[in-house]
Amino acid sequence: MTQQAKEDKRPERGNRLHPALVETHDLDFSIDKTLLDAVLNDERFREWQSSNDKWQLRFSGSPGCGKTTLSSIIVEKLRKTVPRVASIYLQQDVASDEAAFVEKFLWIVYAQLDNRVPDALSTPGKEEDYQAGYAKFIAAREQGLHQITNFSRSALQSIVPNIPRPAFLVVDGIDRCSPNTSVQIEKEISQLQHYGVKIMTTSRVPWIGESWPAAQCDGQACSAKDPRPWIHVYWACEDCMGHEDKESRGTTVFLSISNNTTRFKQPFDRMDFDISKIPDHAMINFVRRAIQQENGDVGFGSLLTSEDHEGSLPSFSSSSLGIQMLRSHNGMAERVVREIAGKAQGNMALAHKRLELFHRARFVDAFLAPRDRLPASIVEMFDAALRAVEAQGRRESTLGLQAIAAVGRSDGGVPFADFQGLARHRGEGDQNEEVDVSKYDGRIEEFSLLDVLYATKGLVVVHNDRRRGPRLVAFHPDFYLYCGQGYRESIMQAHSSLKDDP
């Protein structure tokens, strides 16, 4: 078969995508990639990228922390050296027709990994088998959705063993479909993981349940250190893993092992990496650079990175704000940096919002003045997030809004066990009344912690409280103000539907 004929038989994906799915995401030119250096240099990412191990990596984090940006940077980085990198971005919530979504998802992965597979099928008979399988896949589109999904799965699994290694699949926003559909997608990509495709996902919702924790290095060089360094990627004795002590896990940890690995394994098949908070030093340097790029030299010195070139930043300040900061003798420029970085609390999107507010200000002193209300641009950001919560089905939107209302009662949030008591109150009314976002009567069936995290779309996160168990808290301090100051009517209505005491 000629090369042209092979190319003619490849999937045409442009007009078959699900509306929630895109294959690429262009990076905003204003994004400072150094913000994510700590993630890219972390042992978990480096080991996932470079090793032959099959565990899956999930980056979890709150809205605006940079998950999609990180996915784009990683895809760009991998494609410079790796023969196969498939990428899928969920750009909107999947509210309906989820069976079709799963089929389209599998089909896109197939189409991307298939890119040049026929060239690699040099074994006699393999080419014909591949083309026959693909022909069945196309024909199945005329036979109903269940049949299509089965053939999508079969076609994908038929090409995976022949894909040049290493091969990667990056899925951004896997939580934007329902919990059940997310589980189904994870089951499908776990099959690819089994065949050696390295899987990375991002989600506003972390993995919930039993997982192997970080361990302290027990090597000789580290045993004298106080505290001993924590490590996340390690090997453990396979014979001991079924008999470990519940507190210490009772396993020997190795940073490197000999060629005889039969008794040792990595005791995890997936790892969650929380990237909700950009490190303070990285955020401060980012804010300094952003101010300097807009206003010229205001006294921070050289902040050039490897991606800059000499002369890319103005050497003097000609802006009104820049001149005000230079003329100040009380460290005004650094005060602005600390104000923006402190209010952002490690959140990339909120840092950008605060920088925009600063650069629209006429006077630096006015920007630094205390305020008791949230800026309009941040309220708009939170409003958009609430609209996504409200647009869910009745049960999910009621649960999500009640959880947000309960968390917003105080800056410390609410223990999950207490919220279960608050939300299980049954109000008066017709059980079969029409769904109306403006009516929250509290009728919620049994729900799990995972249900709450999905229903709140990342606006509520969970912290572990050793005394009282999981605690629901707001994803950012500004969100407590948003909930408590009556910016959104649906939150106020949800608050009134809660019981006064759990």
Side-chain angles (χ1 to χ4, degrees):
M1 181 177 292
T2 66
Q3 179 65 27
Q4 183 61 47
K6 293 175 182 177
E7 291 177 354
D8 290 342
K9 288 180 174 291
R10 290 174 190 157
E12 299 175 3
R13 42 186 189 268
N15 63 349
R16 296 181 183 272
L17 297 183
H18 188 280
L21 299 172
V22 295
E23 298 178 77
T24 60
H25 176 81
D26 295 330
L27 285 171
D28 189 320
F29 73 92
S30 65
I31 293 295
D32 188 336
K33 296 181 182 179
T34 62
L35 274 173
L36 297 167
D37 280 351
V39 175
L40 298 176
N41 292 326
D42 188 275
E43 61 170 327
R44 286 163 283 187
F45 173 72
R46 289 188 286 107
E47 183 72 13
W48 170 81
Q49 178 190 357
S50 61
S51 74
N52 293 322
D53 301 304
K54 296 181 179 181
W55 49 272
Q56 183 181 152
L57 179 62
R58 170 177 285 191
F59 290 109
S60 62
S62 53
C65 72
K67 298 182 295 297
T68 299
T69 297
L70 177 64
S71 296
S72 298
I73 291 173
I74 289 174
V75 168
E76 180 183 85
K77 176 183 175 71
L78 291 173
R79 283 181 173 157
K80 292 178 179 178
T81 57
V82 174
R84 287 291 187 279
V85 181
S87 61
I88 297 181
Y89 300 83
L90 276 71
Q91 62 180 347
Q92 63 188 49
D93 292 339
V94 182
S96 61
D97 204 9
E98 292 186 308
F101 169 81
V102 173
E103 187 272 325
K104 297 291 187 182
F105 179 94
L106 292 174
W107 186 83
I108 294 172
V109 176
Y110 172 83
Q112 290 192 49
L113 294 180
D114 168 67
N115 189 19
R116 289 182 298 275
V117 165
D119 302 334
L121 299 179
S122 57
T123 305
K126 287 291 185 181
E127 172 72 17
E128 291 74 15
D129 291 345
Y130 162 77
Q131 297 294 355
Y134 180 59
K136 290 181 179 179
F137 165 67
I138 296 299
R141 291 185 176 279
E142 307 298 328
Q143 302 178 29
L145 194 58
H146 179 70
Q147 189 83 338
I148 293 173
T149 302
N150 287 339
F151 273 109
S152 299
R153 183 182 301 114
S154 298
L156 183 55
Q157 292 178 1
S158 72
I159 66 169
V160 169
N162 301 293
I163 296 171
R165 298 293 192 269
F168 292 81
L169 170 61
V170 174
V171 182
D172 178 67
I174 197 170
D175 63 302
R176 302 201 72 162
C177 42
S178 71
N180 288 339
T181 303
S182 293
V183 169
Q184 186 175 352
I185 292 293
E186 289 179 355
K187 181 179 179 181
E188 299 289 353
I189 62 180
S190 292
Q191 292 297 315
L192 302 182
Q193 180 180 336
H194 172 75
Y195 284 112
V197 177
K198 301 187 78 68
I199 309 294
M200 188 203 94
T201 62
T202 71
S203 172
R204 293 166 296 189
V205 179
W207 270 311
I208 299 294
E210 181 71 13
S211 62
W212 281 76
Q216 287 183 290
C217 180
D218 60 359
Q220 184 175 2
C222 295
S223 59
K225 296 179 180 180
D226 186 21
R228 289 182 295 162
W230 287 94
I231 55 176
H232 296 87
V233 182
Y234 53 86
W235 289 263
C237 173
E238 189 169 10
D239 293 341
C240 301
M241 285 170 57
H243 307 284
E244 69 272 9
D245 181 88
K246 290 184 179 180
E247 295 296 323
S248 65
R249 295 284 182 178
T251 56
T252 300
V253 175
F254 294 84
L255 286 175
S256 61
I257 54 179
S258 66
N259 292 331
N260 181 12
T261 63
T262 56
R263 292 172 58 85
F264 301 102
K265 66 177 294 184
Q266 291 181 317
F268 40 80
D269 61 3
R270 60 188 187 181
M271 184 175 294
D272 190 82
F273 188 163
D274 186 354
I275 60 168
S276 294
K277 192 175 188 299
I278 291 170
D280 290 343
H281 69 277
M283 179 60 76
I284 287 171
N285 283 337
F286 160 69
V287 175
R288 285 174 177 159
R289 280 175 51 79
I291 291 174
Q292 186 164 280
Q293 285 173 324
E294 188 74 20
N295 302 282
D297 184 4
V298 293
F300 297 142
S302 177
L303 297 172
L304 295 177
T305 70
S306 59
E307 296 190 1
D308 295 318
H309 58 273
E310 293 298 333
S312 63
L313 300 180
S315 59
F316 63 91
S317 179
S318 59
S319 73
S320 173
L321 293 174
I323 291 171
Q324 292 175 56
M325 288 186 283
L326 279 175
R327 289 179 176 175
S328 169
H329 298 289
N330 61 353
M332 180 176 282
E334 196 60 37
R335 286 172 58 202
V336 171
V337 170
R338 300 290 173 175
E339 171 74 9
I340 294 173
K343 291 288 181 63
Q345 289 286 301
N347 186 282
M348 184 186 296
L350 288 169
H352 278 284
K353 296 290 185 186
R354 296 282 178 181
L355 280 165
E356 291 169 2
L357 289 169
F358 173 65
H359 288 129
R360 288 201 299 267
R362 293 183 60 191
F363 303 103
V364 178
D365 284 334
F367 173 78
L368 292 172
R371 299 175 184 273
D372 58 3
R373 299 287 289 178
L374 289 173
S377 60
I378 292 177
V379 172
E380 290 170 4
M381 175 181 167
F382 292 162
D383 280 346
L386 260 295
R387 285 194 291 271
V389 175
E390 294 163 354
Q392 301 177 101
R394 179 183 179 83
R395 178 182 183 275
E396 290 77 17
S397 62
T398 301
L399 177 60
L401 288 165
Q402 288 194 343
I404 290 168
V407 165
R409 284 181 163 188
S410 67
D411 289 352
V414 60
F416 175 63
D418 289 356
F419 173 63
Q420 287 178 304
L422 291 169
R424 284 179 182 166
H425 172 57
R426 288 183 175 270
E428 301 294 329
D430 180 6
Q431 294 279 351
N432 298 314
E433 66 180 324
E434 292 292 324
V435 174
D436 184 345
V437 168
S438 67
K439 297 178 181 179
Y440 297 101
D441 56 18
R443 293 196 300 275
I444 303 177
E445 300 172 0
E446 297 290 320
F447 57 88
S448 67
L449 179 59
L450 190 62
D451 290 332
V452 172
L453 297 180
Y454 268 91
T456 53
K457 302 289 184 182
L459 298 173
V460 169
V461 298
V462 60
H463 286 178
N464 289 320
D465 184 326
R466 291 186 177 181
R467 187 171 62 90
R468 303 195 65 182
R471 173 177 288 271
L472 303 176
V473 299
F475 85 99
H476 190 274
D478 281 350
F479 196 62
Y480 286 114
L481 292 176
Y482 179 84
C483 293
Q485 293 184 349
Y487 286 101
R488 195 76 179 173
E489 184 180 357
S490 60
I491 296 178
M492 298 173 64
Q493 292 170 339
H495 187 279
S496 67
S497 74
L498 297 171
K499 294 175 68 176
D500 290 333
D501 298 297

